[in-house]
Amino acid sequence: MERTFIMIKPDGVQRGLIGEVIARFERKGFTLVGMKLMAVSRELAEKHYDVHKDKPFFGGLVEFITSSPVVAMVWEGENVVASGRTLIGATNPISSAPGTIRGDFGITIGRNLIHGSDAVETAQREIALWFTEPELASWTPANHGWLYED
Ligand code: GDP
Ligand code: MG
């Protein structure tokens, strides 16, 4: 089973959208295997967004992510990395389709509510960066057979 790293950013937490985001992943059928509300250190934020370190928005992005708590989560399921990105919507909320999280709740790219890993390898790197092994629970939901054929 595939896993992805999902983070509700400070704007999503401040705007009271934690439950809304979790509900969307839950009702899709994905399984929550790790979750914590936490303040993010500058070091962790810089490591997480390392790929963007030379971009003009990097400084502001690190400031934003460290400004207020986030909810870090790991979700599991078939194709959860790509499907998670579909649930989230395009990077710029103004071009995200209605029905997606960013499309329904966001307006600007610098306040787009949520992060989701963009590839399976990225997900593995991000999960290892944000969670220790004991913080992740491997479990099979009772409705598994009603979501998957085998
Ligand atoms: P994502 O994978 O859809 O989150 O998008 P990226 O990996 O391209 O960018 C990471 C995050 O940086 C985005 O979610 C935005 O919060 C932020 N970001 C990206 N591009 C811009 C930009 O042009 N301006 C600002 N202010 N923030 C940006
Ligand atoms: Mg990205």
Side-chain angles (χ1 to χ4, degrees):
M1 273 289 183
E2 201 169 285
R3 286 180 175 183
T4 194
F5 174 69
I6 300 293
M7 170 184 41
I8 306 173
K9 296 179 180 181
D11 50 338
V13 175
Q14 290 281 357
R15 291 180 54 201
L17 295 170
I18 297 172
E20 177 71 40
V21 169
I22 291 173
R24 287 174 181 231
F25 278 82
E26 258 186 339
R27 74 187 184 196
K28 175 73 176 166
F30 293 131
T31 305
L32 184 60
V33 299
M35 177 166 73
K36 54 188 173 184
L37 179 132
M38 58 187 280
V40 183
S41 69
R42 188 166 198 90
E43 188 194 359
L44 177 56
E46 286 175 354
K47 273 192 196 151
H48 175 76
Y49 281 121
D50 182 65
V51 66
H52 296 304
K53 65 174 179 293
D54 298 324
K55 307 267 172 65
F57 59 82
F58 181 73
L61 181 57
V62 169
E63 282 300 318
F64 168 57
I65 292 297
T66 57
S67 66
S68 182
V70 306
V71 173
M73 297 180 282
V74 176
W75 287 88
E76 187 176 84
E78 219 168 273
N79 271 308
V80 69
V81 173
S83 183
R85 295 277 292 191
T86 303
L87 291 176
I88 288 170
T91 303
N92 193 340
I94 220 69
S95 11
S96 296
T100 66
I101 294 165
R102 287 169 174 167
D104 285 350
F105 301 111
I107 300 171
T108 65
I109 196 165
R111 298 288 183 270
N112 64 2
L113 299 154
I114 180 165
H115 166 86
S117 307
D118 62 8
V120 172
E121 308 75 58
T122 319
Q124 285 161 357
R125 174 190 169 268
E126 291 175 351
I127 291 167
L129 185 62
W130 287 82
F131 287 88
T132 63
E133 199 50 50
E135 288 176 323
L136 300 174
S138 292
W139 62 293
T140 305
N143 64 5
H144 183 91
W146 299 101
L147 285 160
Y148 299 98
E149 285 180 281
D150 44 6

